[in-house]
Structure formats: structure tokens, C-alpha cells
Amino acid sequence: MKLSIQVNEGPYQHQASDSAFQFTKAAIEAGHDIFRVFFYHDGVNNGTRYTTPPQDDRHVVNNWSELSAAHDLDLVICVAAAQRRGLVDEGEAERNGKDGNNIAPGFRISGLGQLIEAGIQSDRLVVFGD
Amino acid sequence: MKLSIQVNEGPYQHQASDSAFQFTKAAIEAGHDIFRVFFYHDGVNNGTRYTTPPQDDRHVVNNWSELSAAHDLDLVICVAAAQRRGLVDEGEAERNGKDGNNIAPGFRISGLGQLIEAGIQSDRLVVFGD
Amino acid sequence: MSEVKKFLYVNRRAPYGTIYAWESLEVILIGAAFDQDVTLAFVDDGVFQLVKDHDTAGIGMKNFTPTYGALGDYDINKIYVEKESLEARGLTIDDLQHLIWEDEDEDWAEKDSIKVVTSSELAKLMGQQDVVLSF
Amino acid sequence: MSEVKKFLYVNRRAPYGTIYAWESLEVILIGAAFDQDVTLAFVDDGVFQLVKDHDTAGIGMKNFTPTYGALGDYDINKIYVEKESLEARGLTIDDLQHLIWEDEDEDWAEKDSIKVVTSSELAKLMGQQDVVLSF
Amino acid sequence: MTMLHTVNKSPFEKDSLTSCLRLSEDGSTILLIEDAIYAALEGTTISDSIKEALKTKKVFALQEDINARGVKNKVIDGIEQVDYAGFVKLVTEHDTVQSWV
Amino acid sequence: MTMLHTVNKSPFEKDSLTSCLRLSEDGSTILLIEDAIYAALEGTTISDSIKEALKTKKVFALQEDINARGVKNKVIDGIEQVDYAGFVKLVTEHDTVQSWV
């Protein structure tokens, strides 16, 4: 079955991203296709490569990056939400006059239409948030 | 009177940072000293210079940076919370092997002791959060 | 896209205290371009989003609520407000913005977009959706 | 620093669902070095923080709650749990970790750190604080 | 059409479970995750409303979240525990998922 | 010692106002800000508990947040509206501030 996942909260403050990650992993293990993981609201903050969590704790961002690399996951960060919160890739940095970018491997920035498309194309959409 | 302010949530998602900003501005206008503004939990995300909010909306980060410049405010970001969430200055970038930094003008990263010190040195501590 | 799905947007939060209401509206407007079957539900504190006459100057935030008035132009006219949520908050439909749409099939007659429904009516309606986005 | 202030840490949230409980503990431990008069209050869902035998392997998060057991070593031994919050959640003090401290003045006798108090006792105690940090 | 409702907030802190119970149809399924697993406990001020819901709805709770919070011995009879694999299965067995975030 | 309690969440959504009312002493002051100003409205399921609190406590509500939410004509008599300058004044007039975040 084709599934999409929406994540509305950033790393560490809320369990949402952890729950979404565990769910996504379990869905892949069960043989389902993940059409897309869409990061909205503070969820965009899951896509920064600048995090350095304590050594004895999980690395929320790397978890996503590595799962994406292993299973070719489409991790999409909403551009409008990202602009408000300071998550930028190279293109966004250039467009908005920023001197660098902080996006983590495996993530890409795109529009809200990608969320609607995920709703249309997927058999199920599951939302994780506050 | 000497006041300190604690901000527990990031920009835009919650009103906490806006409320704290309006309160701080009003306190300055009333002639009070602001000993420190301490950003904890997701509040550390108020200190990123990578935000580009919609043109017709307020700029939460610049509001703080400009208030700091005008009144020599001490805007302190908690280092432990910042590491989890990807907010880095030059020193943190070097220590943690990051290829850049995203801290906004007027903010500095320091330890939780700065919050306790604010509690001790200030006549009042006011917390804004979720 | 040939398939038309039933999209439900559930709005349960008050405006300004958090951004969910506003960013929900942004999804709804983008989603309108996809020609799906769109329904909006306002329950719990979400009913406060539709209250008239917001004046946000004092909090330094943008008043985004006039945009609800444009929903009709995007063919979004199935807007359900839960009666029990309104009543618990001391509100009636007169406290809310008057949202309208123009019916092409009836010579562009102006019609109300908001319907006040009971919990059980709304539960049934929610049960018929293909995709539920919650804010 | 000559002045000693009364610091109260109010813990009102469940663990894991949000990080407040853990980051509150980090403040408490750092704060212990400042030789202030420290009190901890656990109310509402905060009482769930002290429940025994957490096993977080399945959610991939760190179990930080053994650290509560070290509070006594940091001379943090005034820990108040609201009776009404416990009861509403079907809990008794036996469901909570047994937190102790050693009293230097009584030949290092082991004493209980947690006291269960009523709402009105806790309200009075809160009213005597200089600095209140809420999590 | 069958609906799976997920709830992730403590019923003592937030109104999402109450709203889910009010606005879900008889015959639908509710899955408690994260802090919402506290709604699955015996002997609380919430227990009765969950037991009432069990008469017309199926209620599940996520095992991993229950174990994390140290309350596995307190779960109400009639609430079935599922792991993440079971969560995925519930999602695929129902036509639509509504998250009461 | 006098205490100022601030509450910022809607009483319909979260438990913070209830806890503040239960755990604040008679004679203390409560300031409603952000979404908590909805607790100041007449004719809601919360109104009675606020009116009860007014018998032993002072209750204020932040004008800017009330105006933003379009409810200035619905505020309960006896709840005083203050602006941000008044918020600052309340903070300085009380010995300690407790935020029910």
C-alpha cells in the first residue's frame, strides 16, 4: 500500500517526529511504499544538519537522513513554513539573500502542493503533531 | 526594577516569542532594566538569521535583534537546547564540526547557568511558553 | 488528475496563540487548485478563527482572517461549524464572519457557506472523507 | 553570591511526549551548583515523570528518569507531589520512584525526599517562592 | 468507510481525546499513542469515559509508548495493545486516518 | 509575598487555567494573556469558574490579545483589562510571577 506521512513538529521538543520515524520504519518493514514524508509547521526544523544532540541520545535528523538514503524516501520540507523558521537550502539561500544554508542530506524544499499531491496519490495519509 | 525574561518557544508557531517581545519593549519603555532574555527549549530558534517571513508579516527574529541593538539587551541562547535543535554560532560550529553557523545579530550562546543567574540577579523573572 | 478525493480540513485551534489556523488556511488555498472535493470543519477552539472584527495591531501580528472571506472565490463553500463547540464558547453564528459563495448553476446567486451542524452530524460527515488534514 | 533565593521548579508535563520534563531536570541539576534554596513541585501530568520502571527502548528515546534518583546527591530533597494530581491519575506514592537523601546533620541518615501534599498546602508553598520556573 | 482515529495527547492536559470521542462514529477505531496512552489507565478520572467508549468503539494503545511510561500493568481490560507494526496494520485496515493532533 | 499568575492557554483546550485556579492562593492575582483571554468571556462553560475566582482573587486580561481575537464586547464584568504597560506594572507590583505555561 502507498502511504504518506506528515510531521508538524520539530526534533526533540515533541515526540511527533520520533513517532513518525518509528511508524515510517515499521511501514517500510511491512513492505509498504512510502510516497512522501512532508514536514510542515515547526516540522521543517527536522531538516537541519546543524543539530548535535547528546551522545547518548538518538539523532532525530540523522535518523531521517539515513532512512531516506536506505530506502530512497522523499523527505519534503514546506517552503513557506521553512522561510518563517529559518530552514534553507542553496536555492532558498540565494533567493532570500542568506549567506549559507542548513538543510540536511536527503531533504528537499518544495511547495504545499506536494502535501496535497501526497493526499491524492497515497492510499493513506498519517499526521503526527502536537 | 531589574527584569529577566525566559522564552520557551520558537518564532511563528507559538505566540510566546511575540508576547515576550511586546512585554520586553513595554518594560523598557516604562524605564525598567532588562537584565537578560534567556531562550530555552524551542525558544533557541528565535536566534536564527536564516528566517525570511512573508513581507506583510512581522519579523520575529529581527524584532529581537533590533531591540537588542537599540537597548543593549543580553539575548542568551541555551547551548544544550541549541545543540539539539541546530542553532550554532562560530564557536559551536567549530566545536561540533559544522560547516557554517546561523546565529542572528545580538544573540549569544551560553549555558543554563545564565538562566539561574538571571533568576538570582533579577527582581522578577517572567516566563513565556507553550 | 482524474481521481477526485474528499479532502477534509479540521480546524481545532484558536488563532494567534499558535500559527496552525493561519498555516491551515495556506494549505486550503493551495489545495483549492487541485480540483478535489474540499470540506472545512471548525470545531473546538477552531470556531474562534471565524469570529468577526479581529484587530491585531496591539500584538504586532498580521490579521489573516479576512482571507476566509475569499474562500468562496476558490469554490470552497462547504464549511461546517460544530454547534456544541459554538455553544460551549458562548457564541452564535452571528458572532462569525458571514461567508458566502456564488452559485454558478443558479445565476450566481449568493449563498451561505457556513452550516452549523451538531456533533453527530459532523461525525457522520467526517466518516465519509478520504483524506483528513488536522490543524 | 551572598543572597539566597527560594527557587521553585514546577513540573506539569508528562515525560517523552514533550521534552520539558527532561530539560527541566537539566536546569535543576545546573541550578544546584548555585547554592540557592531549591524546591521541586510535581503537579498535573508532571507526576507521571516520577513513575517507576520506564522502558524507552521501543520509542528510541533515552530514559532520563534514573537521574531523579541522583537529586539527593545534589542536596535537592524538597520534592512535593500534589495528592489531587496523583489521585486523578489512579496513582499512589508506591507507583513513584523512591527518592532519598542523606541527612548530614543526623549522621547521614537516609530520608525520603518526596512529600505528598494537598492542593492547598502546595498553593501556600508556591506563594512563598522568589523565583518560579515552569516546565 | 471505516475510520481510524489517532490521539496523542494526555486526556488530563488537553481536549483532543474528548473531541475524538464526541466526533467519532460508533464502530470506528481509536488508537492512543504518545502521552494519550495515559487515557488507557485503570482508576483515573478518565477511565469511565474510555470504558463507555469501548461499548461502541474499538480502542487500541501503542505498546512502545505504554512501556516507555512505566504503566504496562495498569491498562484497562478491553484495550488492546499494538506495537508499531500493529499501528501500520491498523492504518492499512481502515479507509481513512484522522489524527486528533 | 504577593503572587502574579499568568495563564496563556485556552481553558477549553488545556488544563492550565484549572490548575492555576486550584493552586493559587486567595488574594493572588491572575492575568490572562494570549489564548487564555477566552477564559474572560461571558456565557461560556468556563464563565462560572472565573466568576467564582473573582470572589477571592483579582483577574486581569490583556487588552491587546482580547482585541486581536475580536471579543472585546464579551468580557465578564469584574475582569479588568490591561495593556502591555499594565502587564509590566502588574509584574513589578507583585513579588513573584508564576507562568502557567
Side-chain angles (χ1 to χ4, degrees):
Chain A
M1 199 172 257
K2 213 186 287 178
L3 307 177
S4 282
I5 288 100
Q6 181 182 337
V7 183
N8 291 343
E9 294 291 336
Y12 300 103
Q13 183 107 339
H14 296 268
Q15 199 184 341
S17 181
D18 292 283
S19 299
F21 172 76
Q22 300 291 347
F23 177 85
T24 305
K25 220 173 50 165
I28 292 169
E29 282 162 13
H32 297 293
D33 288 338
I34 306 298
F35 180 77
R36 181 167 293 152
V37 184
F38 191 85
F39 296 87
Y40 196 37
H41 305 300
D42 269 4
V44 302
N45 291 325
N46 287 291
T48 172
R49 69 171 179 277
Y50 282 175
T51 48
T52 310
Q55 298 223 337
D56 57 351
D57 197 11
R58 84 281 189 202
H59 196 308
V60 177
V61 176
N62 287 1
N63 275 351
W64 283 115
S65 289
E66 288 160 15
L67 198 67
S68 170
H71 302 280
D72 202 20
L73 278 189
D74 189 19
L75 307 180
V76 178
I77 291 172
C78 169
V79 60
Q83 286 177 342
R84 285 193 176 99
R85 291 161 180 89
L87 201 290
V88 291
D89 61 9
E90 253 182 57
E92 276 293 299
E94 199 175 318
R95 265 186 296 283
N96 299 307
K98 304 299 177 186
D99 57 6
N101 71 77
N102 57 346
I103 195 167
F107 290 85
R108 66 186 178 94
I109 295 180
S110 189
L112 273 170
Q114 301 269 313
L115 172 60
I116 307 296
E117 196 201 13
I120 296 170
Q121 299 289 339
S122 308
D123 298 302
R124 304 285 184 277
L125 173 71
V126 189
V127 182
F128 294 88
D130 180 22
Chain B
M1 201 173 261
K2 213 187 288 181
L3 306 179
S4 282
I5 289 101
Q6 182 183 336
V7 183
N8 291 344
E9 294 290 337
Y12 301 104
Q13 183 106 338
H14 295 268
Q15 198 183 342
S17 181
D18 293 283
S19 298
F21 173 76
Q22 299 291 346
F23 177 85
T24 305
K25 219 172 53 164
I28 292 169
E29 280 162 13
H32 297 295
D33 288 338
I34 305 299
F35 179 76
R36 182 167 294 151
V37 185
F38 191 85
F39 297 87
Y40 197 36
H41 305 301
D42 270 4
V44 302
N45 291 325
N46 287 291
T48 172
R49 69 172 180 276
Y50 282 175
T51 49
T52 311
Q55 299 224 337
D56 56 350
D57 197 11
R58 84 281 189 202
H59 196 308
V60 176
V61 177
N62 287 0
N63 275 351
W64 283 115
S65 289
E66 288 160 14
L67 198 66
S68 171
H71 302 280
D72 203 19
L73 279 190
D74 189 19
L75 307 180
V76 178
I77 291 171
C78 169
V79 61
Q83 285 176 344
R84 285 194 177 97
R85 292 163 180 87
L87 202 289
V88 291
D89 62 9
E90 252 181 59
E92 276 293 297
E94 201 174 315
R95 264 186 296 282
N96 299 306
K98 303 299 178 187
D99 58 5
N101 71 77
N102 57 347
I103 196 167
F107 290 85
R108 67 186 177 95
I109 294 180
S110 188
L112 273 170
Q114 301 269 313
L115 171 61
I116 307 296
E117 196 201 15
I120 295 170
Q121 298 289 339
S122 308
D123 298 301
R124 303 285 183 279
L125 173 70
V126 188
V127 183
F128 293 88
D130 179 22
Chain C
M1 218 113 24
S2 59
E3 194 189 3
V4 171
K5 281 192 173 181
K6 285 172 185 284
F7 271 70
L8 174 68
Y9 297 89
V10 181
N11 299 285
R12 294 184 52 243
R13 322 253 193 161
Y16 311 117
T18 56
I19 203 175
Y20 302 105
W22 187 358
E23 290 191 330
S24 166
L25 199 50
E26 292 181 348
V27 182
I28 291 164
L29 293 176
I30 297 284
F34 284 75
D35 293 323
Q36 302 294 305
D37 180 0
V38 172
T39 301
L40 273 49
F42 291 85
V43 301
D44 295 329
D45 282 349
V47 301
F48 285 129
Q49 296 176 26
L50 298 176
V51 165
K52 287 187 280 210
D53 299 330
H54 291 194
D55 172 9
T56 58
I59 58 171
M61 295 169 79
K62 184 182 158 181
N63 175 8
F64 62 92
T65 59
T67 307
Y68 292 113
L71 289 172
D73 302 337
Y74 287 83
D75 289 327
I76 294 168
N77 49 42
K78 287 184 284 187
I79 302 179
Y80 295 90
V81 174
E82 191 201 15
K83 185 167 169 281
E84 285 78 355
S85 292
L86 277 181
E87 288 174 357
R89 289 158 184 78
L91 299 174
T92 70
I93 185 146
D94 295 332
D95 292 306
L96 309 185
Q97 291 191 46
H98 185 204
L99 304 186
I100 53 156
W101 62 290
E102 297 177 344
D103 190 344
E104 191 179 346
D105 298 335
E106 294 189 19
D107 199 23
W108 307 100
E110 274 192 6
K111 295 185 173 180
D112 287 343
S113 300
I114 297 181
K115 280 181 201 63
V116 177
V117 292
T118 64
S119 304
S120 56
E121 288 169 330
L122 190 56
K124 186 177 278 183
L125 202 138
M126 285 176 163
Q128 297 162 350
Q129 305 298 319
D130 297 311
V131 182
V132 181
L133 292 161
S134 316
F135 297 94
Chain D
M1 219 115 21
S2 59
E3 193 187 3
V4 171
K5 281 191 172 181
K6 285 172 187 281
F7 271 70
L8 174 69
Y9 297 89
V10 181
N11 299 285
R12 294 184 53 246
R13 321 253 193 162
Y16 311 116
T18 56
I19 202 173
Y20 301 106
W22 188 358
E23 290 191 331
S24 166
L25 199 50
E26 292 181 346
V27 182
I28 290 164
L29 293 176
I30 296 284
F34 283 77
D35 292 324
Q36 303 293 305
D37 181 0
V38 173
T39 301
L40 272 50
F42 291 85
V43 301
D44 295 330
D45 283 348
V47 302
F48 286 129
Q49 297 177 26
L50 298 175
V51 166
K52 286 187 281 211
D53 298 330
H54 291 196
D55 172 9
T56 59
I59 58 170
M61 295 169 78
K62 184 183 158 179
N63 174 8
F64 62 92
T65 59
T67 307
Y68 291 114
L71 289 172
D73 302 336
Y74 288 84
D75 289 328
I76 295 168
N77 49 41
K78 288 184 284 185
I79 303 180
Y80 296 90
V81 174
E82 192 202 13
K83 185 168 169 282
E84 285 78 355
S85 292
L86 278 181
E87 287 175 356
R89 288 158 185 78
L91 300 174
T92 70
I93 184 146
D94 295 332
D95 293 306
L96 309 185
Q97 291 191 47
H98 184 203
L99 303 185
I100 53 155
W101 62 289
E102 297 177 344
D103 191 343
E104 190 180 346
D105 297 337
E106 296 188 17
D107 198 22
W108 306 100
E110 275 192 8
K111 297 187 172 178
D112 286 344
S113 300
I114 296 182
K115 282 182 199 64
V116 176
V117 294
T118 63
S119 304
S120 56
E121 288 169 331
L122 190 56
K124 186 178 277 184
L125 202 139
M126 286 176 162
Q128 296 162 351
Q129 304 298 320
D130 296 312
V131 182
V132 180
L133 291 161
S134 317
F135 296 93
Chain E
M1 298 277 295
T2 57
M3 291 278 283
L4 173 67
H5 299 269
T6 68
V7 181
N8 73 322
K9 288 294 159 187
S10 163
F12 306 104
E13 185 192 13
K14 284 188 88 174
D15 67 341
S16 44
L17 177 71
T18 308
S19 297
C20 172
L21 294 177
R22 187 177 78 244
L23 292 168
S24 55
E25 290 185 289
D26 286 356
S28 59
T29 303
I30 297 171
L31 171 63
L32 306 169
I33 68 168
E34 301 182 2
D35 289 344
I37 64 96
Y38 291 122
L41 306 192
E42 193 61 81
T44 78
T45 52
I46 303 294
S47 309
D48 282 351
S49 65
I50 285 284
K51 288 178 185 173
E52 190 59 34
L54 279 170
K55 294 178 185 168
T56 56
K57 296 161 192 178
K58 278 157 289 182
V59 181
F60 294 81
L62 195 66
Q63 201 164 46
E64 286 89 340
D65 281 317
I66 290 169
N67 292 345
R69 288 159 181 81
V71 292
K72 64 181 170 188
N73 299 322
K74 294 174 177 289
V75 175
I76 291 169
D77 281 343
I79 296 182
E80 197 177 321
Q81 298 189 34
V82 291
D83 59 9
Y84 274 105
F87 183 177
V88 172
K89 199 151 172 281
L90 283 174
V91 165
T92 59
E93 288 171 353
H94 292 78
D95 296 312
T96 307
V97 185
Q98 176 161 2
S99 304
W100 291 85
V101 287
Chain F
M1 298 277 295
T2 58
M3 291 277 283
L4 173 66
H5 299 268
T6 66
V7 181
N8 74 322
K9 287 294 159 187
S10 163
F12 306 104
E13 186 192 11
K14 285 189 88 174
D15 67 341
S16 45
L17 178 71
T18 308
S19 297
C20 172
L21 293 177
R22 185 177 78 246
L23 292 168
S24 55
E25 290 185 289
D26 285 357
S28 59
T29 303
I30 297 169
L31 171 63
L32 307 169
I33 67 170
E34 301 183 1
D35 289 343
I37 64 94
Y38 292 122
L41 305 192
E42 192 64 79
T44 79
T45 51
I46 304 294
S47 309
D48 282 350
S49 65
I50 285 285
K51 286 178 186 172
E52 190 59 35
L54 279 170
K55 293 178 185 168
T56 55
K57 295 161 192 178
K58 279 156 286 180
V59 181
F60 294 81
L62 195 66
Q63 200 163 50
E64 285 88 342
D65 280 318
I66 291 169
N67 292 345
R69 289 158 181 81
V71 292
K72 65 180 170 188
N73 298 322
K74 293 175 177 290
V75 175
I76 291 169
D77 282 343
I79 295 182
E80 197 177 321
Q81 297 190 33
V82 291
D83 58 11
Y84 274 105
F87 183 177
V88 172
K89 198 150 173 280
L90 283 174
V91 165
T92 59
E93 287 170 353
H94 292 77
D95 296 312
T96 307
V97 184
Q98 177 162 2
S99 303
W100 292 85
V101 288

